[in-house]
Amino acid sequence: MGKYIIRRVLQMIPALFLVSVAVFLIIHNIPGDPAQIVAGPNATEEQIAALTRQFGFDKPLKIQYVTWLKNAASGDMGYSYINNYPVNDMIKQRVPATLELAVAAAVIVLLISVPLGIFAALKPGSFIDFSSTIFSALSFAVPGFWLAIILIMIFSLKLGWLPPSGRPLFSEQPVEHLKSLIMPAFALAIGVSAKIARYLRSSMLEVLDQDYTRTARSKGLYEKTIIGRHVLPNALIPVITVMGLQVGDLLSGAIIVESVFAWPGIGRLTVQAISWRDYSLLQADVLYIVLAFMVINLITDLAYGFVDPRIRYS
Amino acid sequence: MNLKDETMTQTEASSEQQKSSESLTSLAAGALLRHRSGMVGLVITIIIIFMAIAAPKLKPYNELEMHAEDRFHAPSGDYYFGTDEFGRDIYSRILIGARNSLSVGVVSIAIASIIGVTVGLITGYESGIIDTLVMRFFDALLAFPAILLAIVIMAVMGTRRSDTNSFLSAINTTLPAFPAMLAIAVVNIPAFARLTRASVLTEKEKEYVEASRALGAKPARTIFSEILPNVMATLLVQVTVSIAGAILLESALSFLGLGIPLPAPSWGSMLSIGRGYMPFAPWYSIFPGLAITFLVMGLYLLGDGLRDVLDPRRQKLV
């Protein structure tokens, strides 16, 4: 197990290197000269040239990349071109908001998808199953940002129950803080819930068809015991992989949802970094998101082994 | 057996094979017609495709025509879905938007599937250093969240839009949605390649592939004539679901101002602009969102139905 983790972590290094090269090349092709943007519309040619030198944009791309990689390897991701803040600090400030949103959304996902998946599988072909299929399709199809707009229309503009945007500090306004979390978390969770419910349904149907389920039935066990002890734990095993992948989806969904609700997280920072042409910030931001994806995948693979002892790591 | 008899036997065998594949197709079609949610999906998809094709005939106004006196007109007999900030008819814009969304979905997935499937077939059949390198590259692409990769690609393509001499600029003039199509295609290529490769790895161990090799067929023939038809069912489901995902992704890009350039109507950008007028013109955001939801839902249900129908374990078709 220890060896497996070390090997997986070591495998991440070349992958991250590849990603860093790709990100560097792509981002340096984004339109707009950051030196020009930082200098402002009234800047002289000399001022722009001085900034270009200061940022090192006058050097060949290869040199720029090597310099950046050296610094990144020592944990220094550079400074924002726009406000000169250390990029690491800017990202650190935004991480708690995104994590909070992702955790709240994950709780909503479980509350919706598990009962939905179970009921649909217990009565396949029934009206409940059909309704759950339609609900899942609807949840998958509703764009998160549109759902966000509709929620704002109803709960903020019409009823005035929830704030339309922002995130007040928990230490200052705890109730308002929690209220501000409800709509973004729900908008983020709904699409993922549909996917998990569908996977759980198929997985349950397969387990219900297994010999050991038939044996449990023939022993005269209560249906509740059969489902709770034999079917559900086995059906959840493949769903865990999907859940791990969906955490990634939650993070990428956050890019849009955070923008709609002005939620001060990593997603909104990414969109802002693009519109500001802040290469330095965007590069670090994208790399951290990709790293988070890889770590989540590793945790999912390990979790898979815990719930299913038949899986051995080699 | 003389040559004539042999030829006749071969012809009979091939006609038998054709009949059996026809009956399998008709069995699958019949099963899809009986599949409740699959049918709902098929009907929704056909209706929206029909509306997109017939849009020029169905639209009551030109989608770019402004009616200054009717700005923010609520839905009525004159304007079924109301009007926008320039007095343009939202219903007509949604109909034309359907063409844009569908074409982005279909073209981007066509590009992704052609490239992804070809790469998957070749790397799956001829394992080796190329397979390892290509798959590691796709792993790196898959490490990006789809929306993030598409945003970054679109941001890069934006440069070429203003560059009047570039090849991309020429395509942009004739096909403004091309950068969005390409970005969405790139995002989808790894999934097609991996899925195809996995199917090929299973298929190439089967007897019919061995038989094809034993008969002296070249690898290209074995891959494209023998293996490809056997992985088509899996790919068909993936294509349907991917088109739904591509339409969602395009609307998200347009919502962020990175998709189909204005003033061409796009459901995502209509939603994004309508958001600013939410308190007094809610219809501006509601109808484009409903359009996206219906189309994606139709494709999703159709994909789900196809998956059930084409999977022998699920439908016991074979």
Side-chain angles (χ1 to χ4, degrees):
Chain A
M1 176 81 151
K3 269 187 196 164
Y4 174 79
I5 296 175
I6 293 169
R7 208 182 66 218
R8 284 288 302 267
V9 172
L10 288 178
Q11 276 174 354
M12 275 185 200
I13 297 170
L16 263 182
F17 172 74
L18 263 181
V19 169
S20 78
V21 175
V23 168
F24 190 85
L25 288 177
I26 294 173
I27 287 174
H28 277 73
N29 266 302
I30 289 180
D33 176 6
Q36 166 97 59
I37 293 166
V38 174
N42 301 321
T44 61
E45 291 282 320
E46 288 76 29
Q47 285 169 321
I48 296 170
L51 277 172
T52 305
R53 271 195 304 278
Q54 188 193 323
F55 292 143
F57 295 149
D58 55 337
K59 297 196 177 100
L61 210 55
K62 226 170 15 186
I63 306 287
Q64 286 186 47
Y65 175 72
V66 172
T67 315
W68 175 79
L69 190 65
K70 262 190 214 159
N71 294 334
S74 59
D76 175 13
M77 301 300 266
Y79 290 83
S80 160
Y81 297 154
I82 300 299
N83 55 22
N84 223 17
Y85 275 22
V87 163
N88 276 340
D89 289 354
M90 286 176 82
I91 293 175
K92 243 185 255 169
Q93 278 172 9
R94 303 288 190 113
V95 168
T98 299
L99 271 184
E100 184 187 19
L101 183 59
V103 169
V107 171
I108 297 176
V109 166
L110 288 177
L111 290 177
I112 297 176
S113 62
V114 173
L116 199 66
I118 294 175
F119 284 121
L122 289 181
K123 295 198 186 292
S126 68
F127 179 72
I128 297 178
D129 186 25
F130 180 65
S131 316
S132 119
T133 306
I134 296 291
F135 173 78
S136 297
L138 205 60
S139 313
F140 170 79
V142 170
F145 50 90
W146 183 62
L147 183 66
I149 292 173
I150 298 295
L151 290 174
I152 293 174
M153 268 187 203
I154 298 171
F155 294 102
S156 302
L157 302 179
K158 192 98 183 154
L159 301 170
W161 292 351
L162 299 169
S165 61
R167 178 179 180 256
L169 285 176
F170 185 78
S171 52
E172 289 170 11
Q173 298 167 282
V175 178
E176 284 306 307
H177 176 92
L178 291 175
K179 275 182 167 180
S180 71
L181 182 62
I182 297 172
M183 285 197 293
F186 191 75
L188 196 55
I190 198 80
V192 177
S193 311
K195 284 186 200 165
I196 306 242
R198 296 307 291 165
Y199 276 107
L200 183 58
R201 174 188 176 271
S202 332
S203 176
M204 288 259 310
L205 282 177
E206 264 176 41
V207 175
L208 281 167
D209 205 31
Q210 296 291 319
D211 287 341
Y212 59 79
T213 310
R214 217 164 294 136
T215 309
R217 277 225 170 85
S218 60
K219 272 169 33 183
L221 292 179
Y222 288 114
E223 195 63 20
K224 219 160 52 180
T225 317
I226 298 171
I227 302 299
R229 277 229 193 117
H230 300 278
V231 178
L232 197 56
N234 286 301
L236 277 174
I237 294 169
V239 177
I240 284 176
T241 315
V242 181
M243 280 181 178
L245 293 173
Q246 297 306 313
V247 174
D249 264 21
L250 279 182
L251 287 178
S252 58
I255 291 173
I256 305 263
V257 170
E258 284 181 3
S259 299
V260 178
F261 287 101
W263 188 260
I266 293 287
R268 189 158 174 249
L269 187 68
T270 310
V271 175
Q272 285 172 330
I274 289 181
S275 58
W276 295 337
R277 314 271 181 264
D278 196 336
Y279 292 166
S280 181
L281 176 59
L282 185 59
Q283 233 156 245
D285 204 31
V286 172
L287 266 189
Y288 280 129
I289 293 178
V290 170
L291 182 64
F293 254 53
M294 289 178 174
V295 172
I296 290 166
N297 279 344
L298 175 61
I299 294 172
T300 311
D301 285 351
L302 297 177
Y304 207 59
F306 276 113
V307 290
D308 189 353
R310 287 169 301 180
I311 294 166
R312 292 277 169 272
Y313 297 103
S314 56
Chain B
M1 196 188 289
N2 61 29
L3 191 64
K4 196 178 165 190
D5 287 344
E6 202 175 315
T7 317
M8 276 184 68
T9 318
Q10 273 177 2
T11 318
E12 275 164 20
S14 111
S15 108
E16 275 295 308
Q17 203 178 357
Q18 203 177 346
K19 258 189 212 162
S20 98
S21 83
E22 265 172 26
S23 62
L24 201 62
T25 312
S26 55
L27 254 176
L32 184 65
L33 292 177
R34 283 192 303 276
H35 194 282
R36 230 182 331 182
S37 53
M39 259 311 282
V40 173
L42 185 65
V43 170
I44 295 175
T45 310
I46 289 175
I47 289 175
I48 297 182
I49 291 175
F50 168 76
M51 289 176 84
I53 293 170
K57 298 262 180 232
L58 290 175
K59 63 178 182 179
Y61 302 93
N62 183 305
E63 71 280 8
L64 299 176
E65 188 183 320
M66 300 183 195
H67 306 98
E69 68 286 3
D70 286 333
R71 292 170 69 239
F72 296 119
H73 198 291
S76 66
D78 290 336
Y79 304 103
Y80 304 140
F81 291 172
T83 62
D84 64 9
E85 75 274 32
F86 299 111
R88 292 175 300 196
D89 180 38
I90 291 178
Y91 175 65
S92 304
R93 289 180 68 74
I94 284 181
L95 284 177
I96 297 296
R99 296 183 136 208
N100 290 333
S101 286
L102 273 170
S103 58
V104 169
V106 171
V107 174
S108 60
I109 297 307
I111 299 173
S113 56
I114 290 170
I115 299 175
V117 170
T118 311
V119 172
L121 283 170
I122 295 168
T123 53
Y125 190 77
E126 301 279 3
S127 312
I129 184 78
I130 294 175
D131 173 38
T132 314
L133 286 176
V134 171
M135 284 304 137
R136 286 294 83 79
F137 173 69
F138 283 155
D139 283 349
L141 275 186
L142 279 172
F144 285 89
I147 181 81
L148 189 62
L149 185 58
I151 287 175
V152 175
I153 295 171
M154 284 306 292
V156 176
M157 307 270 272
T159 0
R160 315 298 169 225
R161 266 186 193 154
S162 50
D163 180 359
T164 46
N165 293 323
S166 77
F167 169 67
L168 260 173
S169 164
I171 297 178
N172 274 328
T173 322
T174 44
L175 192 60
F178 184 71
M181 290 170 176
L182 209 57
I184 297 168
V186 172
V187 169
N188 279 285
I189 290 171
F192 275 100
R194 289 193 75 105
L195 181 72
T196 313
R197 181 177 173 272
S199 306
V200 172
L201 287 177
T202 321
E203 292 296 318
K204 77 174 184 183
E205 302 303 327
K206 293 192 176 161
E207 281 169 359
Y208 72 89
V209 177
E210 220 170 283
S212 166
R213 274 199 215 118
L215 282 170
K218 286 184 179 157
R221 190 188 153 79
T222 310
I223 292 173
F224 291 101
S225 305
E226 305 294 339
I227 298 179
L228 183 60
N230 282 290
V231 297
M232 277 310 264
T234 317
L235 290 174
L236 186 65
V237 175
Q238 179 71 12
V239 163
T240 319
V241 178
S242 297
I243 292 176
I247 289 167
L248 270 181
L249 189 53
E250 183 280 316
S251 66
L253 286 174
S254 293
F255 183 77
L256 293 173
L258 293 163
I260 298 171
L262 295 169
S266 150
W267 292 344
S269 56
M270 287 170 79
L271 252 174
S272 175
I273 301 167
R275 181 164 65 120
Y277 306 108
M278 227 178 346
F280 56 93
W283 58 86
Y284 196 167
S285 319
I286 290 175
F287 290 112
L290 278 177
I292 300 171
T293 306
F294 272 114
L295 177 54
V296 174
M297 190 174 91
L299 285 164
Y300 174 85
L301 287 174
L302 179 60
D304 213 35
L306 283 173
R307 186 179 292 130
D308 282 351
V309 164
L310 296 172
D311 185 347
R313 280 175 307 173
R314 294 192 189 210
Q315 276 288 321
K316 303 203 167 45
L317 256 180
V318 182

